[in-house]
C-alpha cells in the first residue's frame, strides 16, 4: 500500500486552528452517557406525550443564534421528557432493537467525520467498510456471497429497493425496460403476496407503481404463513411477469413462510421471489433457528434490518439482491462528475435510492466486529429463550392464552375466559395493556391478530436478559389479576 500523503500548505494560505474546541461534541457525549445510565430509573414509557412535547418545544425561530453547547443542553433537558425508553431491558413494544453502544458510537463517528458516502471517490473509507460489512452480512445470513447489499434506512426501503430490482428484471425478461421507459404501456406484472405480509410491503409496491391493492393476496394459515398450495393454485394459469413476496418473521407471530415450496412454484413461472425478513432473517445466524428459514437462500432478493436484531442505532437496513446488475439498473445515477459503474468496485449510491447519504455501513461493521458470530448467535438464542420462558409462565395462568406458536422472539397473548364473547375479551386484553402502561414497569404493545385484540411482546432489545423473564411474567400476571379482580 502506498504511503499516506503528508499535509502540504501553500505558504500564503493561513488556515484557522481547527483543534481549538469541540465542547458541543463533548456535551453530547456527556448527555448521552447520562441518559443511557438513567434509562431504568424512570417508568418504562414516555413521561410526556406528543401534544405536551409540542408545547415544550414551541417557540418562534430565534432571530439571533445561541451558544452551541447551550442549545445542545437545552435539547437534552427538554427532549428527554418525551423519549420512549427503547433501550430499556423491559421494553417489548413493537419490533425494535436496542441501539447498542458500539453501534451508536460508530454512528457518531459517521456524522462527525462529515462524510458523504455516495460513492467510493467521495469517501473511500465508507465504501470500503460497507464492502467488508456486506461480505460479513452475507456470510452470517448464509446468502449467496456475490449478492449485492445496499445499505438503506430499514426494511421498508429495503423492500422498495429490492422490489425495484425485481420490477426491472421481470419486465426485461419479456422485452420491456421499466427503469428507462416507465410503466405506462408496459406489460402488467402480477404480484403475489401472503395475506399477512407486513404493511411496508404494500407501501413499497405503491411507490413502485405496482399498486397496493392490485396484488393477488394468497391465503395464510393460523400463524400467518403463506399457503404454498394457495399460491400454486393462484399462479397456475398465470402468464407474463410475476413477483412473489414471501416473509421471514411475521410481525405478530414470528412465523416463516415455506420458502422451499414457494421457490419451486415461483421458479416454474420464472417469477422473482422476494423475502421480507426484517427481523426473522436473523434466525439464520443461529444453527438451532436456521431451519426455520429453510430454502430462503434460494430467493432472488431479501430485505432485512440492522436496527432490529443486530442492535445498530436507527436507521439501518439492507436491500440484498442476488443479481447485482438488476439492482444497479434500478438504482443507478448518471452524471459526468460521478463514477461510472463499469468495474467491480462498490459504488454505494448505485445500490440504494439516495445519492447523498450517511455511511450506514459503519454501525453495521462496528456491531458485527464487536459481537462476532458468537455474539450475534447469543443475542438470537437469548431473546428466543426469553420469549419461550415468558410464554410458558403465562400459559399456566387461567384466563391467559398464548395465541401464537412461539418459534422465535414474538409472543402474542389474549386475556379472558374462552367462554366470553370477543368484544369482552378484547376489552380485557386492552385493559391489561393499559394497566401495564400506567404502572410503568414494562412496555408492551397491542395489535390486531385475526379478529382478536392481542398483547404483543417482542423480545428484541439487547439489554433484555434471561433473569428478566420471570419478572416480566409476574408483572403481566399481576396486571391480569388486577383487571380480572375488578370485574368481579
Ligand atoms: C419492521 C418490519 C418492517 C419495516 O421495517 P422498517 O425498518 O421499520 O422500515 C417490514 N417487515 C417486517 C416483517 C418488519 O418486522
Amino acid at each position: 500500500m502506498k504511503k499516506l500523503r503528508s499535509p502540504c500548505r501553500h505558504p500564503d494560505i493561513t488556515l484557522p486552528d481547527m483543534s481549538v474546541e469541540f465542547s458541543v461534541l463533548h456535551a453530547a457525549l456527556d448527555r448521552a452517557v447520562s441518559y443511557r445510565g438513567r434509562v431504568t430509573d424512570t417508568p418504562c414509557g414516555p413521561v410526556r406525550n406528543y401534544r405536551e412535547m409540542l408545547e415544550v418545544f414551541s417557540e418562534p425561530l430565534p432571530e439571533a443564534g445561541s451558544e452551541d453547547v447551550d442549545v445542545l443542553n437545552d435539547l437534552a433537558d427538554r427532549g428527554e421528557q418525551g423519549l420512549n425508553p427503547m433501550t430499556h431491558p423491559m421494553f417489548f413494544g413493537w419490533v425494535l432493537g436496542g441501539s447498542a453502544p458500539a453501534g451508536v458510537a460508530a454512528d457518531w463517528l459517521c456524522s462527525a467525520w462529515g462524510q458523504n458516502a455516495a460513492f467510493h471517490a467521495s469517501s473511500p473509507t465508507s465504501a470500503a467498510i460497507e464492502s467488508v460489512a456486506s461480505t460479513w452480512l452475507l456470510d452470517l445470513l448464509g446468502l449467496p456471497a456475490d449478492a449485492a447489499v445496499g445499505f438503506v434506512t430499514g426494511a421498508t426501503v429495503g423492500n422498495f429497493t429490492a422490489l425495484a430490482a425485481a420490477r426491472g428484471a421481470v419486465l426485461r425478461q419479456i422485452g420491456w425496460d421499466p427503469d428507462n421507459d416507465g410503466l405506462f404501456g408496459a406489460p402488467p406484472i402480477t404480484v403475489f403476496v401472503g395475506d399477512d405480509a407486513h404493511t411496508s410491503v404494500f407501501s413499497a409496491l405503491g411507490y413502485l407503481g405496482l399498486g397496493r391493492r392490485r396484488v393477488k393476496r394468497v391465503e395464510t394459515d393460523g400463524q400467518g404463513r403463506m399457503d404454498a398450495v394457495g399460491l400454486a393454485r393462484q399462479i397456475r394459469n398465470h402468464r407474463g411477469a410475476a413477483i412473489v413476496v414471501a416473509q421471514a418473521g411475521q410481525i405478530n407471530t414470528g412465523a416463516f413462510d415455506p420458502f422451499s415450496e414457494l421457490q419451486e412454484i415461483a421458479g416454474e413461472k420464472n417469477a422473482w421471489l422476494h423475502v421480507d425478513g426484517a427481523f426473522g432473517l436473523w434466525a439464520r445466524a443461529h444453527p438451532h433457528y436456521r431451519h426455520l428459514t429453510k430454502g430462503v437462500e434460494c430467493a432472488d432478493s431479501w430485505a432485512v434490518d440492522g436496527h432490529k436484531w443486530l442492535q445498530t442505532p436507527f436507521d439501518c437496513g439492507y436491500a440484498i439482491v442476488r443479481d447485482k446488475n438488476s439492482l444497479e439498473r434500478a438504482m443507478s445515477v448518471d452524471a459526468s462528475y460521478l463514477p461510472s459503474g463499469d468495474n467491480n468496485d462498490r459504488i454505494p449510491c448505485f445500490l440504494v435510492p439516495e445519492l447523498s447519504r450517511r455511511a450506514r455501513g459503519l454501525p453495521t461493521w462496528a456491531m458485527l466486529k464487536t459481537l462476532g458470530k458468537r455474539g450475534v448467535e447469543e443475542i438470537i438464542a437469548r431473546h428466543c429463550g426469553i420469549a419461550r420462558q415468558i410464554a410458558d409462565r403465562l400459559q399456566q395462568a387461567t384466563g391467559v392464552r398464548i395465541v401464537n406458536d412461539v418459534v422465535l422472539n414474538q409472543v402474542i397473548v389474549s386475556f379472558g375466559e374462552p367462554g366470553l364473547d370477543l368484544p369482552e375479551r378484547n376489552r380485557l386484553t386492552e385493559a391489561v395493556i393499559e394497566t401495564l402502561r400506567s404502572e410503568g414497569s414494562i412496555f408492551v404493545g397491542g395489535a390486531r391478530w385475526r379478529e382478536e385484540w392481542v398483547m404483543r411482546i417482542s423480545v428484541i432489545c439487547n439489554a433484555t436478559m434471561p433473569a428478566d423473564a420471570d419478572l416480566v411474567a409476574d408483572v403481566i400476571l399481576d396486571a391480569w389479576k388486577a383487571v380480572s379482580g375488578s370485574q368481579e
Side-chain angles (χ1 to χ4, degrees), residues 95 153-157 159 198 200 247 249 251 276 278-279 305 307-308:
V95 184
T153 53
T156 304
V157 178
N159 283 327
H198 192 270
S200 68
Q247 179 167 255
I251 192 81
D276 174 7
F279 63 103
D305 268 316
H307 57 215
K308 287 179 180 170

Side-chain angles (χ1 to χ4, degrees), residues 285-342:
H286 195 291
H288 293 170
Y289 294 94
R290 186 172 264 220
H291 72 94
L292 293 167
T293 68
K294 190 165 158 282
V296 84
E297 67 280 2
C298 298
D300 297 292
S301 61
W302 306 263
V304 58
D305 268 316
H307 57 215
K308 287 179 180 170
W309 240 338
L310 188 59
Q311 315 293 332
T312 70
F314 299 96
D315 40 24
C316 178
Y318 320 108
I320 308 178
V321 178
R322 179 186 294 277
D323 174 29
K324 183 179 180 208
N325 183 45
S326 303
L327 180 57
E328 288 194 342
R329 288 182 78 152
M331 295 292 137
S332 69
V333 284
D334 185 20
S336 61
Y337 52 85
L338 296 176
S340 64
D342 48 23

Side-chain angles (χ1 to χ4, degrees), residues 149-340:
V149 182
F151 288 75
V152 291
T153 53
T156 304
V157 178
N159 283 327
F160 164 77
T161 305
L163 288 169
R167 181 183 66 173
V170 297
L171 282 181
R172 276 192 297 272
Q173 271 175 18
I174 52 173
W176 187 275
D177 177 4
D179 298 317
N180 285 309
D181 300 324
L183 287 176
F184 297 105
I189 300 176
T190 308
V191 182
F192 299 86
V193 184
D195 213 19
D196 289 300
H198 192 270
T199 178
S200 68
V201 167
F202 298 94
S203 309
L205 293 169
Y207 311 151
L208 288 163
L210 299 175
R212 293 165 199 245
R213 205 168 44 200
R214 209 177 162 282
V215 299
K216 300 266 186 245
R217 297 182 81 117
V218 180
E219 56 268 43
T220 49
D221 69 6
Q223 298 299 312
R225 287 178 293 237
M226 199 194 300
D227 178 20
V229 176
L231 175 66
R233 185 169 19 78
Q234 290 208 37
I235 213 171
R236 189 180 306 138
N237 296 322
H238 172 76
R239 280 177 205 290
I243 298 172
V244 176
V245 183
Q247 179 167 255
Q250 207 282 336
I251 192 81
N252 293 311
T253 64
F256 294 78
D257 285 349
F259 305 108
S260 300
E261 295 165 56
L262 300 182
Q263 168 56 37
E264 206 166 297
I265 297 161
E268 275 172 28
K269 293 286 179 180
N270 261 334
W272 179 290
L273 179 63
H274 170 70
V275 179
D276 174 7
F279 63 103
L281 207 61
W282 287 103
R284 293 181 68 68
H286 195 291
H288 293 170
Y289 294 94
R290 186 172 264 220
H291 72 94
L292 293 167
T293 68
K294 190 165 158 282
V296 84
E297 67 280 2
C298 298
D300 297 292
S301 61
W302 306 263
V304 58
D305 268 316
H307 57 215
K308 287 179 180 170
W309 240 338
L310 188 59
Q311 315 293 332
T312 70
F314 299 96
D315 40 24
C316 178
Y318 320 108
I320 308 178
V321 178
R322 179 186 294 277
D323 174 29
K324 183 179 180 208
N325 183 45
S326 303
L327 180 57
E328 288 194 342
R329 288 182 78 152
M331 295 292 137
S332 69
V333 284
D334 185 20
S336 61
Y337 52 85
L338 296 176
S340 64

